[in-house]
């Protein structure tokens, strides 16, 4: 299977370049290749995959977050890389502990990550260090909590009308 | 006029509001302003040509195509900086999806990008099918292609009508909406709904198209190219429209790729990247069609690319209707698809499957999948994480409008404010998709 050998080559190249401990897992699931890497070196890994002539993943299709609630490092950030020349996709994934959800921003490498990293910060509370403008993007700027985390309750927020504004403290101030 | 009145209504120029209101001509005020400027020319810091003005456009403005707020910094009439502020129609659909079984997510994701609902449902269904590892029968694949391409025509008609409206061509709006209505009639025929049809189902489509659908759809796609010719004639012979679109809102292909822009915006710069050709899904490789590309990537190219896409969509639909295979329209995997109605009366097993599917829903093996398809606005990717239960652990849509909106700043920088409205219209953002 070419995908499997390709994934193995990617994993080997990453290990050769960054050392054995950079790669946590390389998996092929439903025909989609995924490498889980050390979050501390995410930007250099992405830069390597972008600039190395063997890979050339020049296009970052999507960045999204995920909360794997029961399992240990709870938060996940996925980078969907795309090589438009060879029509090849690779998912680079990192897992972050919820107590210290910090990762370096890749806006310098891929400007498209700007809004998407802001959305992950907004929804999961992952702090992207070095992001030029890390603010909430979809939720109101004074919102408290990170609504896409699995332990954040669904619903329960009062709908604010003029008549019940005083009964919903903190909303009208 | 009394002195008291003067002090109450005094403005920085020293002319009372009442006085200004009373006079029809503005010449006294203009004269005063000119006098003041002449006196303090040396120390009034900035002339109007160099002064920066921050102007807030939206969120409620008809030219923003939704609830979009643009914080523009103007120097005279020139846009120097623009910051899109979004989130006004954020409804937490992704969060809601985590509380619904796999089936019940389909109507939710359809409501994200409300102009291309078939594509949202398709991306989601294909992602779940990939997790389940099931095959979609050929007839269902063709029916999906037919409806998705009809939806592309619908979305482009919506875009053309409202964009032409922004450019002052009001009658185009009605012509486009007439054609759009024909598409909606077809949707109503196949699913009973005009918008947010929930026609795509995990494993196929909900039901077969009714008798007469194929004939009506063929009639539509055969007359549509003529209509598009008429639209092109109307717009392309309009000098004002051409002057406002040609050479406006350009952005280099390299920059667009850096910003993650896909779809007609990227193709307008000459890059033929289209997922229907690059990674054919749902038997797109069975059809003979071309990818329209532009040359320089200005607003005119974006407009021409989208118009040309309508012709290609018509071609695809015609081929799919003519070659529509016989057979099932949904998978026969009873763990995924509801059993046919007639089996319920005779088969206990069918009854159990029906009950399990309707109450609990299907269980999907754990895993994560990112499924990209080509929506009218670019790469629409659906990321689904399953934890093995009957509800998805995460549903995320990579919305092309959300990503493409980042390029607005590069497109409109150092151009006129009036051109910004055109560029925004040609960007074709759908705020329901941006905010989700």
């Amino acid at each position: 299977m070419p995908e499997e050998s390709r994934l193995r080559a990617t994993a080997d190249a990453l290990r050769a370049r960054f050392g054995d401990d950079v790669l946590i897992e390389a998996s092929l699931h439903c025909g989609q290749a995924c490498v889980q890497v050390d979050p501390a070196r995410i930007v250099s890994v992405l830069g390597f995959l972008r600039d190395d002539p063997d890979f050339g993943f020049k296009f970052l299709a999507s960045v999204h977050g995920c909360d794997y609630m029961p399992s240990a490092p709870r938060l996940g950030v996925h980078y969907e890389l795309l090589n438009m020349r060879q029509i090849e996709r690779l998912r680079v994934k990192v897992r972050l502990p919820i107590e210290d959800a910090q990762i370096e921003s890749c806006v310098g490498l891929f400007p498209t990550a700007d809004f998407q990293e802001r959305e992950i910060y907004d929804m999961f509370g992952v702090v992207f260090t070095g992001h030029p403008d890390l603010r909430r993007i979809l939720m109101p700027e004074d919102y408290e909590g990170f609504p896409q985390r699995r332990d954040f309750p669904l619903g329960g927020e009062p709908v604010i009308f003029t008549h019940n504004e005083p009964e919903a403290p903190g909303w009208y101030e | 006029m009394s002195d008291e009145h003067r002090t109450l209504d005094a403005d920085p120029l020293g002319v009372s509001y009442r006085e200004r209101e009373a006079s029809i001509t503005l010449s006294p005020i203009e004269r005063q302003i000119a006098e003041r400027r002449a006196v303090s020319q040396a120390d009034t810091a900035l002339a109007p040509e160099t002064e920066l003005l921050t102007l807030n456009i939206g969120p409620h403005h008809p030219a923003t195509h939704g609830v979009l707020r643009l914080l523009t910094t103007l120097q005279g009439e020139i846009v120097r900086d623009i910051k899109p502020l979004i989130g006004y129609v954020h409804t937490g659909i992704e969060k809601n999806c985590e509380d619904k079984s796999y089936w019940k997510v389909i109507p939710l994701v359809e409501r994200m990008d409300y102009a291309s609902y078939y594509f949202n449902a398709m991306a989601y269904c294909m992602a779940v099918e990939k997790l389940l590892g099931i095959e979609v029968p050929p007839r269902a694949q063709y029916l999906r292609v037919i409806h998705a391409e009809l939806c592309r025509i619908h979305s482009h008609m919506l875009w053309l009508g409202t964009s032409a409206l922004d450019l002052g061509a009001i009658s185009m709006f009605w012509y486009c909406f007439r054609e759009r209505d024909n598409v909606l009639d077809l949707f109503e025929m196949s699913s009973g709904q005009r918008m947010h049809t929930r026609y795509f189902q995990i494993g196929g489509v909900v039901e077969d198209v009714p008798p007469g659908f194929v004939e009506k759809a063929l009639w539509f796609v055969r007359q549509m190219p003529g209509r598009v010719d008429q639209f092109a004639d109307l717009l392309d012979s309009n000098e004002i429209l051409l002057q406002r679109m040609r050479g406006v809102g350009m952005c280099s292909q390299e920059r667009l790729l850096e910003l993650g822009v896909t779809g007609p915006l990227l193709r307008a710069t000459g890059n033929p990247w289209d997922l229907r050709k690059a990674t054919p899904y749902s038997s797109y490789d069975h059809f003979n069609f071309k990818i329209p590309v532009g040359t320089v990537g200005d607003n005119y190219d974006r407009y021409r690319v989208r118009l040309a896409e309508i012709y290609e969509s018509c071609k695809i639909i015609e081929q799919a209707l003519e070659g529509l295979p016989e057979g099932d329209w949904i998978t026969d995997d009873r763990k995924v698809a509801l059993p046919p109605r007639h089996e319920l009366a005779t088969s206990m097993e069918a009854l159990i499957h029906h009950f399990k599917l309707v109450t609990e829903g299907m269980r999907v093996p754990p895993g994560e999948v990112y499924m990209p398809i080509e929506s009218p606005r670019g790469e629409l990717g659906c990321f689904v994480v399953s934890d093995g239960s009957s509800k998805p652990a995460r549903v995320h849509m990579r919305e092309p409008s959300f990503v493409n909106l980042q390029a607005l700043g590069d497109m409109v920088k150092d151009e006129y404010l009036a051109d910004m409205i055109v560029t925004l219209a040609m960007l074709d953002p759908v705020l329901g998709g941006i905010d989700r």
Side-chain angles (χ1 to χ4, degrees):
Chain A
M1 210 173 166
E3 283 150 347
E4 235 164 79
S5 57
R6 182 76 179 141
L7 178 65
R8 217 173 302 124
T10 313
D12 289 344
L14 282 176
R15 279 201 205 93
R17 177 77 173 71
F18 297 100
D20 280 349
D21 53 339
V22 71
L23 195 74
I24 296 164
E25 195 192 358
S27 63
L28 193 70
H29 180 68
C30 298
Q32 300 191 341
C34 173
V35 286
Q36 187 184 341
V37 299
D38 176 16
R41 279 176 284 183
I42 180 69
V43 171
S44 34
V45 167
L46 288 176
F48 171 70
L49 290 170
R50 186 188 72 161
D51 297 329
D52 192 271
D54 284 351
F55 301 106
F57 290 105
K58 300 239 182 280
F59 190 83
L60 182 64
S62 175
V63 188
H64 33 247
C66 183
D67 185 355
Y68 299 91
M69 180 147 86
S71 62
R74 255 181 68 181
L75 299 176
V77 179
H78 306 80
Y79 301 82
E80 304 283 348
L81 294 172
L82 168 65
N83 181 345
M84 284 182 165
R85 205 165 285 265
Q86 291 174 26
I87 310 183
E88 191 178 28
R89 286 181 188 269
L90 176 70
R91 180 181 313 132
V92 179
K93 170 175 157 184
V94 293
R95 292 284 289 264
L96 302 165
I98 200 143
E99 313 80 44
D100 180 34
Q102 273 207 10
I103 190 167
E104 208 182 325
S105 163
C106 69
V107 175
L109 286 175
F110 299 103
T112 174
D114 185 346
F115 273 21
Q116 307 187 49
E117 284 183 352
R118 276 177 68 187
E119 190 192 336
I120 298 170
Y121 163 72
D122 194 355
M123 294 298 164
F124 294 98
V126 177
V127 175
F128 290 88
T129 52
H131 188 286
D133 186 23
L134 195 66
R135 285 179 292 123
R136 285 191 181 274
I137 185 164
L138 294 179
M139 302 303 289
E141 52 266 43
D142 57 348
Y143 195 81
E144 280 173 25
F146 301 105
Q148 280 276 352
R149 289 187 178 177
R150 292 308 296 271
D151 50 3
F152 192 93
L154 184 64
E157 273 175 29
V159 179
I160 304 299
F161 297 105
T162 323
H163 72 89
N164 63 1
E165 257 188 316
E167 282 97 72
W171 284 83
Y172 60 98
E173 279 166 356
Chain B
M1 193 173 283
S2 72
D3 282 348
E4 189 196 355
H5 192 190
R6 182 170 284 276
T7 48
L8 271 179
D9 282 350
D11 74 345
L13 290 174
V15 189
S16 91
Y17 170 69
R18 296 274 170 238
E19 206 172 309
R20 272 185 286 152
E21 196 189 39
S23 129
I24 296 170
T25 165
L26 289 171
S27 56
I29 303 167
E30 283 163 0
R31 199 170 55 238
Q32 275 189 351
I33 295 172
E35 280 167 12
R36 271 160 190 276
R37 194 168 286 150
V39 170
S40 53
Q41 184 108 62
D43 55 55
T44 35
L46 292 163
E49 308 85 65
T50 52
E51 192 178 0
L52 289 179
L53 169 78
T54 304
L55 179 69
N56 179 56
I57 302 174
H60 297 284
H61 190 279
T64 55
H65 291 240
V67 202
L68 170 66
R69 187 174 155 207
L70 297 167
L71 214 57
T72 44
T73 306
L74 300 172
Q75 187 178 19
E77 288 256 338
I78 313 275
V79 178
R80 292 298 183 206
D81 189 24
I82 193 159
K83 273 202 178 11
L85 300 178
I86 56 176
Y88 291 94
V89 283
H90 174 64
T91 40
I93 292 177
E94 287 178 6
K95 179 77 177 170
N96 269 303
C97 291
E98 294 169 12
D99 200 45
K100 301 263 181 278
S101 60
Y102 279 92
W103 274 41
K104 296 175 183 169
V105 169
I106 304 172
L108 280 177
V109 293
E110 279 187 338
R111 276 150 183 81
M112 288 180 171
D113 185 340
Y114 45 76
S116 60
Y117 33 92
Y118 275 104
F119 292 91
N120 300 347
M122 191 160 171
Y124 171 74
C125 288
M126 282 168 68
V128 177
E129 281 153 11
K130 200 151 212 182
L131 279 169
L132 286 162
I134 53 172
E135 281 287 314
V136 178
R139 187 175 176 87
Q141 293 191 9
Y142 272 55
L143 286 176
R144 281 184 178 185
V145 167
I146 291 166
H147 284 88
E149 292 304 320
L150 281 172
C151 192
R152 192 184 305 275
I153 295 176
H154 158 252
S155 169
H156 282 353
M157 281 293 107
L158 199 66
W159 155 80
L160 184 62
T162 50
S163 303
L165 197 63
D166 282 352
L167 284 156
I170 293 170
S171 45
M172 273 309 291
F173 186 73
W174 307 117
Y175 295 143
C176 289
F177 267 57
R178 183 183 61 193
E179 297 315 311
R180 173 180 173 269
D181 235 51
N182 282 335
V183 180
L184 293 185
D185 285 347
L186 285 168
F187 290 168
E188 193 178 3
M189 214 170 161
S190 65
S191 64
Q193 302 284 328
R194 294 172 75 79
M195 287 185 83
H196 309 305
T197 52
R198 205 204 173 281
Y199 183 61
F200 293 169
Q201 175 74 287
I202 294 163
V205 295
V206 169
E207 56 184 358
D208 202 1
V209 286
F213 177 86
V214 172
E215 291 74 29
K216 196 169 177 202
L218 274 175
W219 167 81
F220 172 73
V221 294
R222 283 179 184 150
Q223 59 99 38
M224 191 63 198
R227 297 284 188 211
V228 184
D229 288 342
Q230 290 175 357
F231 299 158
D233 283 347
L234 261 175
L235 296 174
D236 276 344
S237 53
N238 187 331
E239 187 59 31
I240 301 171
L241 221 78
L242 294 181
Q243 282 190 11
R244 289 194 67 184
M245 288 201 291
R246 278 200 180 138
V248 173
M250 290 212 266
C251 188
S252 73
Q253 191 186 124
E254 291 70 36
R255 183 66 188 154
L256 286 182
L257 284 172
E258 275 180 6
L259 287 166
V261 175
T262 44
L265 295 177
L266 180 65
R267 291 196 283 274
T269 61
N271 186 335
W273 178 256
D274 189 315
L275 290 170
R276 291 174 295 171
K277 280 278 188 207
T279 53
Y281 51 90
S282 194
S283 41
Y284 265 109
D285 47 346
H286 295 189
F287 309 117
N288 176 24
F289 64 103
K290 295 189 180 110
I291 304 296
V293 292
T295 49
V296 288
D298 57 357
N299 281 337
Y300 182 71
D301 277 356
R302 290 170 192 150
Y303 148 76
R304 287 307 303 194
V305 163
R306 284 201 180 91
L307 273 196
E309 274 183 11
I310 300 177
Y311 294 111
E312 297 304 318
S313 290
C314 288
K315 263 199 243 168
I316 298 174
I317 299 167
E318 195 169 352
Q319 290 170 51
L321 286 168
E322 279 167 353
L324 191 61
E326 294 296 322
D328 288 341
W329 58 89
I330 194 159
T331 174
D332 55 2
D333 186 344
R334 291 279 182 269
K335 303 283 177 208
V336 174
L338 284 175
R341 184 77 206 162
H342 64 88
E343 274 184 27
L344 292 183
T346 52
S347 159
M348 187 64 205
E349 214 170 287
L351 208 58
I352 294 169
H353 278 134
H354 186 279
F355 178 75
K356 283 294 277 181
L357 271 177
V358 170
T359 52
E360 195 201 351
M362 67 197 83
R363 296 210 172 175
V364 174
E368 37 193 53
V369 151
Y370 175 75
M371 193 66 222
I373 63 168
E374 187 74 27
S375 93
R377 276 159 274 279
E379 175 173 329
L380 173 78
C382 187
F383 178 69
V384 179
V385 179
S386 166
D387 55 2
S389 71
S390 61
K391 292 174 183 174
R394 171 105 169 103
V395 177
H396 173 79
M397 283 280 182
R398 185 259 193 215
E399 273 292 342
S401 339
F402 179 71
V403 180
N404 292 357
L405 187 66
Q406 299 182 82
L408 182 65
D410 285 70
M411 287 176 185
V412 302
K413 212 159 271 179
D414 303 333
E415 289 192 352
Y416 286 106
L417 178 64
D419 291 341
M420 190 275 283
I421 301 297
V422 186
T423 310
L424 182 68
M426 293 297 149
L427 193 82
D428 192 18
V430 170
L431 270 292
I434 291 175
D435 289 346
R436 299 185 295 284

